[in-house]
Structures are given as structure tokens and as C-alpha cells.
Amino acid sequence: GRVDYFGGTARPVSSDVRHKMKNKPIYHSDHFANEVRNSFDGEDRLFIDCTFANMTMEGAQLYTSLFYRCNLADTDFYWAHFYGARLIDCKLKRVDFRGANMEGCTFINCELIDCNFGKDNLGADTDTSSVIFIDTKTTNCPGLLHQNA
């Protein structure tokens, strides 16, 4: 199978996931690296088995989007909009969520390592009080209220 950025192997996408995401903009097995990109703006984006590495996506509007089995490393989502977004079976390393709108965002079976949910450049806290964590492991994530959920 295809080996991803974190050394895992891609699995087939279940019919249940395909059915739920019908008619949504889909990115499948795409590799986004070393660029500044806000072209994903809009709701209901679907990212399956995608890799984001060394990306700058400040202020990106990814509300109600779904990230399924994605790997995100050294990516900047400063002041991005993740309202209602869902991240399932994802691995995140050194991702910057400072100032992001995380209201109603859900992490299911994810691993977050060294991700920053701390204060933005105006000194305001990143509000993670309504973020839902299910079977998600967090390690060294400043500003995150729910460590090791």
C-alpha cells in the first residue's frame, strides 16, 4: 500500500464515509507541502488520506470540513476557522491552532503532539472549551484544556 508521511499505510475508504460525504469537495490522497495556501476556503471540504506538511494556512475557512486519516505536520492554522470540523483517525504534529475558531470541532481517535492552542498575537486565549475529544491522545499541547483525553 501507499506509505504516508508518518510511515503508516493507507487503507480503503469505507462506504459509510463515502456516502456521508457525497457531493462535497473531495481531496483524496493529496500531499500538500511547503506552500502558503488558503484556497480551501469554504465549508464541507473532505480530506481523505491527505498529508499537510510545512503549510501556512492562516485564516483558512475549513468550517464543517472532515479530515479522515490525514497527517498534519508543521502546519500553521493560525486564526483558521474549524467551526464544526471533524478530524477522524488523524495524526497532528507541531500544528499551530492559535486563535483558531474551534467551536464544536471534534477529534476522534486522533493523536496530537506538540500542537499549539495558546494565546494569539493579541494575547487572547484560543477557546477549546467546546472541542470534543473521543479516544484522542494529546501530548504537550499548550493552551489545550483537555490533555490526554
Side-chain angles (χ1 to χ4, degrees):
R2 180 181 62 83
V3 176
D4 65 29
Y5 185 78
F6 288 81
T9 303
R11 299 178 310 263
V13 177
S14 71
S15 61
D16 181 51
V17 170
R18 284 194 306 268
H19 174 73
K20 288 179 183 176
M21 298 295 123
K22 190 175 183 180
N23 298 323
K24 296 185 179 188
I26 297 174
Y27 302 88
H28 190 271
S29 298
D30 289 317
H31 182 82
F32 306 102
N34 304 312
E35 55 183 300
V36 175
R37 184 173 183 141
N38 289 325
S39 62
F40 299 122
D41 283 358
E43 64 183 310
D44 289 337
R45 300 294 187 238
L46 173 61
F47 300 94
I48 301 172
D49 295 322
C50 291
T51 298
F52 296 82
N54 300 309
M55 294 288 293
T56 298
M57 298 177 67
E58 291 185 8
Q61 297 182 25
L62 297 163
Y63 45 94
T64 65
S65 291
L66 172 65
F67 294 80
Y68 182 65
R69 294 189 323 230
C70 293
N71 296 310
L72 299 92
D74 301 304
T75 296
D76 183 356
F77 287 113
Y78 184 79
W79 279 16
H81 301 275
F82 280 90
Y83 172 84
R86 294 165 315 267
L87 293 90
I88 303 170
D89 295 332
C90 294
K91 294 180 182 179
L92 297 87
K93 291 183 181 179
R94 297 172 306 277
V95 175
D96 187 357
F97 288 107
R98 290 175 304 127
N101 176 357
M102 304 297 291
E103 185 179 350
C105 182
T106 303
F107 292 87
I108 301 171
N109 196 37
C110 293
E111 182 177 11
L112 288 76
I113 300 170
D114 300 325
C115 295
N116 190 353
F117 293 85
K119 296 182 183 292
D120 64 20
N121 65 354
L122 301 176
D125 291 325
T126 301
D127 184 3
T128 59
S129 62
S130 69
V131 176
I132 299 167
F133 295 91
I134 301 170
D135 296 327
T136 293
K137 181 180 178 186
T138 61
T139 304
N140 192 32
C141 296
L144 190 59
L145 297 176
H146 310 282
Q147 294 285 335
N148 294 314

